[in-house]
Amino acid sequence: MNMSLLRVIRRLQSSFVAPQRPTLISTDAEKPNVEGREDANLFSFEYIPPQVQPEWHRNKLKYRLERMDCLRRRQAIDIPEFYPGSILAVTVADNYAPGKSMRFAGRCLYKDGFGLGCKFVLRNVIDNEGVEKMYHLFAPYIQKVELLRLEKWIDTDLRFLRDAADQSICEIDPNMQAESPLPKTEELPVYKGKIRLREIAMWEFLYHKQWPRPYNAYLEEHFIEEELIEREKIHWQTQSHLKYDICKHYDVTKIKAEIMDEMKDNRHRVDVADKKITADA
Amino acid sequence: MPRGMPHGNSFRKFGGPDKRLHLLKTLVNALIKHERLETTFAKAYETQKYVERLIDITKYGKSNLYCNDMVNFWVPEEAQQNKLFNVLLPRYSEHSRKYTRLAVLTEWTDKDMKSHGKMAVIELKGNPLPPLPVKEDNPHTLQNVLLAAAKQDWDYQRSNVKEN
């Protein structure tokens, strides 16, 4: 090869310094989860112990063991966060079904219970027929829980949807595509719309007399104002013996902080109990 | 979710839910005003629960919505509300749970008066009235001496932790 060419190449090689490969690091700090939507390993709706009126009947060891069992199940299957009002699809193992499993999609009406006994009810309207199915959240025969749409309503008890005038709220296509939910670092917008109900003579339950009074349903239009006596009107609007009975209210703020502290240690406790690690680690 | 049966219900009925709340409201207001009441044992036992719960709620502060709602229902008069927030709250800021004392009176031996039933006296702790002749524990027994020393240690530790 030509000597001048070689010299040029060597000079370029010696003076050439490769630039540093740019690393993409996000400059914003990691945002913490919003207060209502914590990580399921730290806090969830079913970790709150049930209300016990004579306080000395509580057994904290029992509650802690149940929370550890919930943690074990959550390691095996991914249970997404959802609220009453959101649309879910659940696949369940069934020996006598074709393909050995059965899938049901529906809107969650309510979520109730503590620990492994946490149940939720899905409602779907198939061929003009309302169908409801109750599932245990931590049941071992549940193979998959898919979140199709994440919604949060003001009410946590949506059983008035059974008497809705327009039943298309609960009509859910089983082949519906899953919509990606908002990440947990952002606040979820709460649905504040009101739903019309059928005639009051067809109601299964007196929704205007329950406390907490449903916000997401039109109740006033079913009553003629002149016919209601003042005293009755105020009573069924406030249900004062339920709203103002302070000893029967359940104060959860301190309990929530305690549970979150406890759940940080529970992973370690579970591993020790399952003999994956020794207690010294 | 609402339950059908009152399992584990540790409250008395007092003639219906609305009458019960009205009765307890008058008793709670009277306790806050006079700081010592003499009633039947059943009513005193119930007011004890409600007064202690009310004081726990006022500890959240006046700006809390829930606190405001409850205090406006249970203590409608403004004079008593001011007493609650300005006199009773600072008195019980260090107390953890028990703000009241319930003392049961002796029963009547007279046949005519015996139909009145078990009477009791309920009072708020730290009140300026002369003390009740309630039998208190002997502070010179070994257990009570050790307990008092342990309590002192606990308070000292807590005050240290607060400063740090």
Side-chain angles (χ1 to χ4, degrees):
Chain A
M1 235 165 113
N2 201 352
M3 283 310 287
S4 58
L5 189 62
L6 270 174
R7 241 179 270 138
V8 164
I9 290 166
R10 242 179 259 143
R11 210 183 305 141
L12 288 169
Q13 279 176 350
S14 56
S15 61
F16 173 72
V17 176
Q20 263 192 335
R21 184 178 281 273
T23 46
L24 299 166
I25 302 170
S26 59
T27 46
D28 335 310
E30 270 188 27
K31 274 199 247 176
N33 286 342
V34 165
E35 217 194 278
R37 309 176 68 187
E38 285 95 6
D39 189 17
N41 293 328
L42 281 182
F43 184 76
S44 181
F45 161 79
E46 60 268 3
Y47 296 164
I48 301 168
Q51 190 188 15
V52 167
Q53 220 81 66
E55 286 266 336
W56 32 270
H57 281 172
R58 220 176 255 284
N59 189 344
K60 291 194 179 172
L61 177 67
K62 185 176 88 159
Y63 298 148
R64 201 221 292 165
L65 292 172
E66 199 149 347
R67 275 181 228 128
M68 279 161 66
D69 280 340
C70 295
L71 203 62
R72 284 186 181 103
R73 178 69 188 159
R74 276 187 193 271
Q75 286 169 10
I77 193 176
D78 176 37
I79 296 172
E81 60 140 351
F82 65 95
Y83 305 98
S86 36
I87 300 173
L88 298 179
V90 173
T91 41
V92 156
D94 193 354
N95 228 350
Y96 304 106
K100 301 284 183 190
S101 67
M102 210 165 73
R103 187 171 187 266
F104 184 75
R107 192 182 279 269
C108 178
L109 290 188
Y110 61 86
K111 222 169 39 155
D112 183 35
F114 163 67
L116 298 172
C118 182
K119 308 164 208 155
F120 64 100
V121 163
L122 299 181
R123 180 181 168 81
N124 199 346
V125 175
I126 302 169
D127 291 340
N128 268 334
E129 183 70 42
V131 178
E132 289 188 11
K133 186 89 176 76
M134 183 188 268
Y135 293 103
H136 283 81
L137 197 60
F138 296 104
Y141 51 78
I142 287 180
Q143 292 168 344
K144 213 195 223 182
V145 179
E146 298 158 28
L147 184 66
L148 299 175
R149 192 191 302 167
L150 182 62
E151 274 182 35
K152 189 172 182 182
W153 291 36
I154 287 184
D155 296 333
T156 49
D157 186 9
L158 301 179
R159 289 178 291 175
F160 56 81
L161 293 181
R162 293 168 186 161
D163 283 324
D166 185 18
Q167 287 286 318
S168 67
I169 301 161
C170 292
E171 260 178 26
I172 288 148
D173 187 17
N175 301 323
M176 188 173 140
Q177 260 194 349
E179 299 165 19
S180 57
L182 278 176
K184 285 191 179 179
T185 52
E186 291 170 25
E187 255 196 66
L188 194 64
V190 178
Y191 179 65
K192 293 191 180 169
K194 297 217 183 207
I195 290 165
R196 297 203 173 273
L197 302 177
R198 294 194 285 185
E199 308 162 353
I200 190 171
M202 309 279 281
W203 285 4
E204 279 178 31
F205 185 73
L206 302 170
Y207 301 113
H208 59 288
K209 284 200 176 176
Q210 97 195 97
W211 186 265
R213 213 152 168 266
Y215 177 89
N216 290 109
Y218 280 118
L219 296 169
E220 267 83 13
E221 62 173 26
H222 294 279
F223 301 96
I224 304 167
E225 276 219 19
E226 290 95 33
E227 284 186 0
L228 288 171
I229 308 168
E230 265 304 315
R231 192 169 40 99
E232 241 180 62
K233 209 188 337 181
I234 293 167
H235 181 76
W236 66 252
Q237 270 174 6
T238 58
Q239 292 291 298
S240 46
H241 67 273
L242 290 164
K243 183 182 180 188
Y244 294 112
D245 200 338
I246 43 182
C247 278
K248 294 187 180 165
H249 292 171
Y250 195 21
D251 197 4
V252 170
T253 43
K254 289 174 192 168
I255 295 170
K256 185 171 172 178
E258 279 171 18
I259 289 171
M260 291 190 66
D261 273 341
E262 189 197 292
M263 291 301 284
K264 285 174 195 165
D265 299 330
N266 270 353
R267 177 61 70 83
H268 179 78
R269 288 187 187 125
V270 161
D271 288 338
V272 164
D274 294 346
K275 293 187 180 146
K276 286 180 193 157
I277 55 175
T278 52
D280 304 331
Chain B
M1 289 282 288
R3 307 268 179 240
M5 301 225 86
H7 289 298
N9 191 4
S10 62
F11 299 101
R12 293 183 162 88
K13 290 184 186 177
F14 284 140
D18 294 321
K19 276 190 189 175
R20 173 174 177 268
L21 266 201
H22 189 258
L23 171 75
L24 289 168
K25 199 161 124 178
T26 48
L27 284 169
V28 163
N29 277 298
L31 228 197
I32 291 172
K33 188 173 176 186
H34 300 115
E35 305 206 20
R36 187 181 284 171
L37 285 184
E38 181 185 330
T39 53
T40 59
F41 176 77
K43 291 175 190 167
Y45 190 62
E46 297 274 309
T47 58
Q48 205 182 26
K49 295 182 187 180
Y50 278 83
V51 167
E52 288 175 0
R53 182 81 182 107
L54 189 69
I55 295 174
D56 280 334
I57 287 172
T58 54
K59 286 190 176 176
Y60 287 133
K62 240 183 192 174
S63 49
N64 196 345
L65 237 188
Y66 176 66
C67 171
N68 236 346
D69 270 347
M70 296 297 134
V71 167
N72 283 332
F73 175 82
W74 282 93
V75 191
E77 288 175 31
E78 224 191 279
Q80 309 309 326
Q81 265 186 31
N82 289 335
K83 186 173 178 187
L84 229 196
F85 282 107
N86 302 332
V87 174
L88 295 182
L89 255 191
R91 198 199 281 177
Y92 297 128
S93 56
E94 304 250 327
H95 269 86
S96 61
R97 278 191 324 215
K98 296 277 180 184
Y99 315 113
T100 55
R101 185 180 292 121
L102 182 66
V104 181
L105 294 173
T106 52
E107 288 189 32
W108 290 96
T109 45
D110 189 8
K111 219 201 279 184
D112 295 326
M113 301 293 269
K114 206 165 186 186
S115 61
H116 281 211
K118 204 156 99 170
M119 300 295 275
V121 167
I122 180 171
E123 66 160 11
L124 292 170
K125 284 186 184 171
N127 64 33
L129 301 167
L132 285 175
V134 173
K135 188 178 174 187
E136 284 189 7
D137 292 338
N138 185 358
H140 299 300
T141 59
L142 180 64
Q143 291 107 319
N144 286 339
V145 165
L146 293 171
L147 279 174
K151 192 178 175 220
Q152 226 180 25
D153 276 347
W154 171 254
D155 286 339
Y156 183 71
Q157 259 180 32
R158 208 162 56 144
S159 62
N160 268 5
V161 164
K162 264 189 197 167
E163 283 161 28
N164 302 345

